[in-house]
Amino acid sequence: MRTHFCGLIDETLIGQTVTLCGWADVARDLGGVCFIDLRDHEGIVQVVAEASEADGNAEVVATAEKVGYEDCLRITGTVRARHSVNAKIRTGQVEIVATSIEVLNKAEPLPFHHHENPGEETRLKYRYLDLRSPDMQRKMRTRTKLVSALRHWLDARGFQDIETPILTKATPEGARDFLVPARMHPGEFYALPQSPQLFKQILMMAGFDRYYQVARCFRDEALRADRQLEFTQLDMEFAWVSERDVQDLVEAMIRDVFRDVAGVELAAQFPRMTYAEAMRRFGSDKPDLRIALELVDVAELVRDSGFAVFTGPAADPGGRVAALRIPGGASLSRKQIDEYAAHAGKYGAKGLAYIKISETGEISSPIQKFFDEAAFAALVSHVGAGNGDIVFFGAGKYSTVSDFMGAVRLKAGKDFNLVADGWAPLWVTDFPMFEWDDEAQRYVALHHPFTAPSVDDEADLRANAATAVSRGYDMVLNGNEIGGGSIRIHRASMQSAVFDLLGIGAEEAQAKFGFLLDALKYGAPPHGGIAFGIDRIAALMAGTESIRDVIAFPKTTGAQCLMTDAPSPIADAQLAEVHVQVRPRASSAAQ
């Protein structure tokens, strides 16, 4: 139907006849002369419909006069140099003089215009219209280039692309599984994979050595800007490797792919930081190093104050009192300070103390009265506060304080324009093996239960579970975890010990992971791997904060597809086929 793409018409085609297909982005009738900006996935080109005494062309002009926004068109015409050059578009040196305009499909009035900024719900309900916009076309093409570049890089280095099952076994760790009833096995269910983790480990035991897969994964969890119920990851696994073997290779891959796809030069050597250091300095295991602000521990300086909110955590080995100095923060009003406290409250803070020092050196602080003059001066000096600054303080359990002070740090970085330009990659290593779940009264795996501990002896791990360090590692970029992995457990005895520490008894472990435990008994090699979030990397490359902008058909934060109205009820007859009966929802009174 067409000879060329709209966005690829250039000066080399001047004088030639071309046929284009696309949508009317803009149509302007100037009385006898009509201009149509015709758009396809490659871009926009200007089309001119004009009548002349020599060839008439009145019918073409008449058709052009009736063209509306988003009409689907097929246009034939001659390429000529444009009188008024448009340097903002790739085809701005030329235009098409139409000799034929065919309306393939007339568009009804649209619910929104691409040049407007409709709400996200409207965009997702009419996703097919939203995806037509040049901005969304650019973002989705960035994703396509990313996946293609990753595949090319890995194929060239001997990795095998192997598919793993979508219908698999439910797992007891991590997020909730999506369950699929098995029609041929009444009362039994498959689960959609949260990741290909166990299958890729078994592939290493099967001798495939280097595996990858662009894998679809499913997790029934709360949605955020960087999370979806279904997502895509580049899954990788290596046999006969140490941590550094994996890290060095994938770091080179990410560096090359960012250069090829986004034209970005990342650091020649990514810095490394332990989990403990990242939490201490930045309050996050995925710190954004573009923000220079750091947390400062002040427990020793407030231990003897009269402020009970500080003295309790300062004396508790599991507590923390941390400060964050914000240059120029004295400009914050009391209302804005309260907004920071409310923001910290979302991450577990019960309050946010502060010291504000005006440009003239005047101090305003609700905690000053709890310190003698010398102690207060020492505190101000220790955190490096000066005129024009504000210092926020958090106190409580170490992990909670780290979380909410880290959130305050990120907010301050954005509010005060303290986020430097550029790219800041980082390896975070030496994660804790376990963390204690107060509600469940047991350990849970910080990464997953197949991550190897840094010790080889099971007795040592059992004796020091609270402080055990794993062989896990994450790649972080501009405050986003873009990849996470670890060296895996490759001995059945160690895997059983980890299951036991996680409260998974021998009988349960055999029922749920017997196939893995059996495989580990037959010469399983040392192995490790990593998985990269395709959606997150594509969003970073495309310059958007939401992964929904680089997923063709994402779900809302309410876990719905507004375009198809999913999820939706299923007819009783269809449910009966898979031996499922829906229980009535409990009334609010019963709840």
Side-chain angles (χ1 to χ4, degrees):
M1 291 187 71
R2 61 187 174 191
T3 61
H4 296 77
F5 294 115
C6 298
L8 301 183
I9 303 297
D10 60 21
E11 299 93 318
T12 65
L13 298 173
I14 289 176
Q16 294 187 30
T17 298
V18 298
T19 298
L20 311 176
C21 293
W23 290 273
D25 192 75
V26 175
R28 304 180 300 279
D29 180 3
L30 302 185
V33 179
C34 295
F35 294 90
I36 300 170
D37 287 350
L38 192 67
R39 185 190 72 248
D40 64 12
H41 72 285
E42 289 287 358
I44 292 175
V45 67
Q46 178 171 281
V47 176
V48 182
E50 55 187 7
S52 66
E53 294 182 3
D55 55 15
N57 229 18
E59 184 179 344
V60 173
V61 175
T63 302
E65 289 173 345
K66 299 175 183 177
V67 167
Y69 179 56
E70 290 302 299
D71 284 355
C72 185
L73 308 176
R74 180 172 184 255
I75 296 177
T76 298
T78 303
V79 181
R80 76 179 181 190
R82 188 165 168 169
H83 299 302
S84 178
V85 171
N86 183 355
K88 295 180 180 179
I89 59 175
R90 185 166 49 178
T91 62
Q93 300 283 340
V94 296
E95 60 188 10
I96 311 299
V97 181
T99 56
S100 169
I101 299 177
E102 181 183 357
V103 180
L104 300 174
N105 201 342
K106 187 75 177 174
E108 294 184 4
L110 271 64
F112 66 91
H113 195 291
H114 288 147
H115 303 285
E116 299 170 348
N117 185 24
E120 187 171 52
E121 285 197 3
T122 301
R123 291 178 56 203
L124 294 180
K125 181 174 177 60
Y126 301 97
R127 189 61 165 178
Y128 38 86
L129 298 178
D130 185 44
L131 288 171
R132 282 188 202 169
S133 71
D135 185 52
M136 287 301 298
Q137 289 281 323
R138 175 188 64 81
K139 290 172 180 175
M140 293 304 299
R141 179 161 291 198
T142 297
R143 182 192 179 101
T144 298
K145 290 178 180 178
L146 167 63
V147 173
S148 177
L150 290 168
R151 287 188 181 278
H152 179 77
W153 200 95
L154 292 167
D155 290 342
R157 287 159 180 80
F159 283 80
Q160 288 183 260
D161 181 359
I162 304 176
E163 294 178 342
T164 54
I166 291 295
L167 296 176
T168 183
K169 192 177 181 70
T171 58
E173 296 293 324
R176 294 183 183 90
D177 290 314
F178 280 102
L179 301 177
V180 180
R183 181 181 59 82
M184 293 182 288
H185 300 273
E188 298 182 353
F189 295 81
Y190 300 104
L192 302 183
Q194 295 189 30
S195 82
Q197 182 62 44
L198 298 184
F199 289 103
K200 68 177 182 178
Q201 287 188 239
I202 288 173
L203 285 171
M204 297 304 100
M205 301 169 200
F208 285 95
D209 203 275
R210 285 187 167 193
Y211 143 95
Y212 86 92
Q213 182 183 184
V214 178
R216 295 291 285 168
C217 303
F218 308 85
R219 295 179 186 174
D220 189 359
E221 60 184 354
L223 276 67
R224 300 198 301 259
D226 64 345
R227 285 189 181 176
Q228 283 278 298
L229 299 178
E230 49 184 318
F231 57 95
T232 306
Q233 66 185 36
L234 173 66
D235 207 56
M236 303 172 65
E237 198 76 4
F238 312 68
W240 321 102
V241 289
S242 66
E243 294 92 325
R244 196 62 185 244
D245 294 326
V246 176
Q247 293 167 11
D248 287 349
L249 189 140
V250 300
E251 181 179 315
M253 176 186 73
I254 292 297
R255 190 181 297 110
D256 289 349
V257 167
F258 263 80
R259 180 188 303 114
D260 295 344
V261 176
V264 170
E265 286 292 340
L266 298 178
Q269 183 70 54
F270 293 2
R272 282 169 166 74
M273 183 180 298
T274 66
Y275 170 90
E277 181 183 356
M279 296 303 290
R280 176 177 57 80
R281 294 174 59 189
F282 305 107
S284 172
D285 60 0
K286 50 181 182 182
D288 189 343
L289 299 186
R290 297 173 302 165
I291 302 172
L293 304 178
E294 294 193 23
L295 306 184
V296 178
D297 286 306
V298 296
E300 292 300 321
L301 284 84
V302 302
R303 189 186 302 273
D304 298 324
S305 72
F307 191 35
V309 173
F310 283 1
T311 56
D316 183 352
R320 183 178 196 187
V321 184
L324 177 70
R325 180 184 74 90
I326 304 174
S331 62
L332 291 174
S333 67
R334 182 52 195 263
K335 179 182 177 182
Q336 289 171 318
I337 292 173
D338 289 344
E339 289 172 354
Y340 270 83
H343 182 70
K346 298 175 184 178
Y347 299 85
K350 295 180 180 179
L352 205 60
Y354 66 90
I355 298 173
K356 185 161 74 168
I357 308 174
S358 71
E359 294 291 351
T360 59
E362 182 181 353
I363 292 177
S364 171
S365 173
I367 66 172
Q368 186 175 7
K369 62 186 177 184
F370 296 103
F371 294 81
D372 62 43
E373 187 175 340
F376 191 76
L379 179 62
V380 172
S381 175
H382 183 72
V383 298
N387 291 2
D389 296 344
I390 193 170
V391 182
F392 285 120
F393 295 88
K397 184 180 176 181
Y398 192 96
S399 59
T400 303
V401 172
S402 299
D403 287 345
F404 72 71
M405 291 298 285
V408 169
R409 173 182 175 270
L410 291 178
K411 177 174 170 58
K414 293 179 180 179
D415 289 350
F416 288 88
N417 297 316
L418 300 175
V419 183
D421 293 332
W423 300 84
L426 171 72
W427 282 108
V428 178
T429 64
D430 300 326
F431 283 80
M433 186 73 183
F434 308 109
E435 59 183 352
W436 183 255
D437 187 325
D438 288 326
E439 184 176 339
Q441 285 295 293
R442 67 178 182 89
Y443 287 114
V444 294
L446 199 67
H447 261 103
H448 55 60
F450 318 107
T451 296
S454 59
V455 296
D456 291 327
D457 183 68
E458 291 100 45
D460 188 347
L461 178 65
R462 291 179 185 276
N464 300 286
T467 58
V469 173
S470 79
R471 299 178 70 181
Y473 39 81
D474 285 354
M475 183 184 288
V476 176
L477 184 61
N478 289 4
N480 298 273
E481 177 207 329
I482 62 170
S486 68
I487 299 301
R488 323 302 188 187
I489 297 168
H490 71 281
R491 288 188 288 109
S493 59
M494 178 62 80
Q495 187 65 76
S496 294
V498 169
F499 283 154
D500 188 43
L501 284 165
L502 293 172
I504 303 173
E507 186 175 339
E508 182 184 2
Q510 188 61 39
K512 294 178 175 176
F513 301 106
F515 64 98
L516 173 68
L517 293 170
D518 288 345
L520 290 170
K521 297 174 183 177
Y522 298 108
H527 59 285
I530 193 167
F532 287 97
I534 296 292
D535 310 308
R536 291 182 184 178
I537 296 175
L540 284 168
M541 287 182 167
T544 180
E545 293 186 357
S546 174
I547 63 172
R548 290 191 289 274
D549 285 341
V550 291
I551 297 174
F553 303 103
K555 304 292 188 292
T556 66
T557 53
Q560 294 176 295
C561 174
L562 298 181
M563 186 183 74
T564 62
D565 195 27
S568 58
I570 299 295
D572 289 342
Q574 190 173 354
L575 290 173
E577 288 182 347
V578 293
H579 318 287
V580 170
Q581 184 176 7
V582 178
R583 295 174 58 184
R585 181 176 296 183
S587 67
S588 57
Q591 291 176 344

